[in-house]
Amino acid sequence: MNSLIDRLISAFGRLPGIGARSAERLAHHILKAPEAEALELADAIRLAKQRIRHCTTCFHLTEADEPVCAICRDPRRDSSLICVVEQPRDLIALEASGSYGGVYHVLLGRLAPLQGIGPDQLTLEALVRRVESGPVQEIILATNPNLEGDSTALLVAQRLSASGVRITRLARGLASGSQLEFANKEMLADALSGRQPWNR
Amino acid sequence: MNSLIDRLISAFGRLPGIGARSAERLAHHILKAPEAEALELADAIRLAKQRIRHCTTCFHLTEADEPVCAICRDPRRDSSLICVVEQPRDLIALEASGSYGGVYHVLLGRLAPLQGIGPDQLTLEALVRRVESGPVQEIILATNPNLEGDSTALLVAQRLSASGVRITRLARGLASGSQLEFANKEMLADALSGRQPWNR
């Protein structure tokens, strides 16, 4: 068997969610694909690794020639409102919703003691410094609605409690567009306990 | 949004079987992965495209400094027996079975008129020249057991009929390890019409 093919298959196989059969399929696709298309993927990977860094303020992703990301630099964003998320992907999802005008803080992870991820692996102290040094009015906790996300939110809230800043979290309840009959216990409990006045 | 990330996401998204969500997940994995691991994928793609070519004899994949592949060069292989497959992947699967000692011919496709793939897009004429110029005893048709594979096999058999070489095809019947109750009509028909004497 061809050693360069094996090398390509095993490089694909190290990607998350790509099993042995998919890695083979992707490698053979690369071999059959037009040269330009295949090399575009190689170049995109190389450029992304070389040029994308974390914003020095919020830890979102930014290109290397800009230490501070476009969102933090945007004067139209309300920098007194900080939404705390686990990962850049969460930030991108919130931005795509178009319903948020403040800035962000990316923790770059969530508490996961079993995987050795404690408070020191997160960007929590940088958030504390942001709150202490700037005119921050409110922190919105937007970690994932699961056990690890909730304990991470609790950690952030506790660490910031002395600062006196207002701390909120994203609403929880029924998923818009879902069906009540398929909602699980936790969703229904959230929806009941967080019920809102009609016409509000 | 970050243009280098978008470029990486869209490069992943052009791979077969990778949808928009998977492409995003892979791109963010690359950003989080160790530099060496991410660049290994980029390098493996680049090297594979630059150095892997088709064998000038059988059209299997080979590294560029060897115009003829390792199988065609191997003196222990029976070069009078040629197994005709659609793709390099089929050849690799047959090799992995360890049950074949002849050589191969890769058609680099199968007849698919609706996708504009006719006889001229296959390496059929090169196969005809191999049969005419060498001491070939038998051609084993090993195209896929479906409509397109069967019409491709028929085409190859017709094109070689004048040469007088012996032409066979892979046996068809029940899949080893499968259950009869789940076999479809075609599998059962093949198994019945191809039934073999007990103890053969």
Side-chain angles (χ1 to χ4, degrees):
Chain A
M1 236 247 245
N2 202 302
S3 62
L4 286 176
I5 301 180
D6 287 343
R7 188 172 157 186
L8 184 58
I9 292 172
S10 94
F12 272 121
R14 278 190 291 270
L15 295 174
I18 305 289
R21 299 286 296 174
S22 298
E24 262 181 52
R25 191 168 43 83
L26 292 174
H28 284 279
H29 170 81
I30 288 291
L31 291 172
K32 282 196 291 185
E35 182 108 357
E37 182 186 323
L39 295 187
E40 165 60 14
L41 176 57
D43 288 344
I45 292 169
R46 178 170 296 279
L47 276 172
K49 287 308 276 187
Q50 285 170 343
R51 304 205 50 233
I52 297 177
R53 295 284 172 269
H54 291 294
C55 169
T56 52
T57 301
C58 77
F59 295 90
H60 183 37
L61 301 165
T62 183
E63 301 201 10
D65 44 0
E66 291 289 356
V68 173
C69 75
I71 295 172
C72 288
R73 276 182 285 132
D74 187 343
R76 290 163 305 180
R77 310 286 301 218
D78 178 358
S79 60
S80 74
L81 184 60
I82 300 182
C83 179
V84 178
V85 295
E86 298 176 19
Q87 295 290 353
R89 296 189 62 177
D90 304 324
L91 184 161
I92 291 169
L94 284 163
E95 279 298 284
S97 78
S99 48
Y100 182 64
V103 295
Y104 294 90
H105 191 86
V106 183
L107 294 171
L108 295 181
R110 74 273 175 273
L111 283 186
L114 293 179
Q115 289 152 56
I117 305 178
D120 296 344
Q121 273 69 52
L122 307 179
T123 64
L124 183 52
E125 292 313 310
L127 174 62
V128 173
R129 285 192 297 275
R130 282 179 81 179
V131 171
E132 285 168 352
S133 63
V136 180
Q137 303 284 328
E138 179 178 346
I139 298 287
I140 303 172
L141 300 175
T143 53
N144 281 305
N146 54 34
L147 193 64
E148 293 178 334
D150 284 344
S151 26
T152 306
L154 183 64
L155 171 80
V156 175
Q158 285 174 338
R159 186 69 187 78
L160 290 176
S161 62
S163 71
V165 71
R166 183 175 179 224
I167 300 177
T168 58
R169 65 161 198 174
L170 293 187
R172 218 169 276 191
L174 297 175
S176 188
S178 68
Q179 284 178 275
L180 202 133
E181 61 177 316
F182 300 126
N184 63 28
K185 263 196 302 195
E186 288 74 22
M187 284 165 65
L188 292 174
D190 284 338
L192 283 166
S193 68
R195 64 191 182 279
Q196 295 160 344
W198 187 253
N199 270 343
R200 198 184 124 179
Chain B
M1 236 245 239
N2 202 303
S3 62
L4 286 177
I5 301 181
D6 287 342
R7 188 172 156 186
L8 184 57
I9 292 172
S10 94
F12 272 122
R14 278 190 291 271
L15 295 174
I18 306 289
R21 298 286 296 174
S22 298
E24 262 182 51
R25 190 168 45 83
L26 293 174
H28 284 279
H29 170 82
I30 288 291
L31 292 171
K32 282 196 291 185
E35 182 108 357
E37 182 185 323
L39 295 187
E40 164 59 14
L41 175 58
D43 288 344
I45 292 169
R46 179 170 294 280
L47 276 172
K49 287 307 278 186
Q50 284 170 344
R51 305 207 47 236
I52 296 177
R53 295 286 173 267
H54 290 293
C55 169
T56 53
T57 300
C58 76
F59 295 91
H60 183 37
L61 302 164
T62 184
E63 302 200 7
D65 42 3
E66 292 289 356
V68 172
C69 75
I71 295 172
C72 288
R73 276 182 285 131
D74 187 342
R76 290 162 304 180
R77 311 285 302 217
D78 179 358
S79 61
S80 73
L81 185 61
I82 300 181
C83 180
V84 178
V85 296
E86 297 176 20
Q87 295 289 355
R89 296 189 62 177
D90 304 324
L91 185 162
I92 291 169
L94 284 164
E95 280 298 286
S97 79
S99 49
Y100 181 63
V103 294
Y104 294 90
H105 191 86
V106 182
L107 293 171
L108 296 180
R110 75 272 174 272
L111 282 187
L114 293 178
Q115 290 152 56
I117 305 177
D120 296 344
Q121 273 70 52
L122 308 178
T123 64
L124 183 52
E125 292 312 311
L127 175 62
V128 173
R129 285 192 296 275
R130 282 178 81 180
V131 171
E132 284 168 353
S133 63
V136 179
Q137 302 284 328
E138 180 178 346
I139 298 286
I140 304 172
L141 300 175
T143 52
N144 281 305
N146 54 34
L147 192 65
E148 292 177 334
D150 284 344
S151 26
T152 307
L154 183 64
L155 172 78
V156 175
Q158 284 174 337
R159 186 69 187 79
L160 291 176
S161 62
S163 71
V165 70
R166 183 174 179 225
I167 301 177
T168 58
R169 65 163 198 173
L170 293 186
R172 219 169 274 190
L174 298 175
S176 188
S178 69
Q179 283 177 275
L180 202 133
E181 61 177 317
F182 300 127
N184 63 28
K185 264 195 300 193
E186 288 74 22
M187 283 166 66
L188 293 173
D190 285 337
L192 282 168
S193 67
R195 65 191 181 278
Q196 295 160 343
W198 186 252
N199 271 342
R200 197 184 125 176

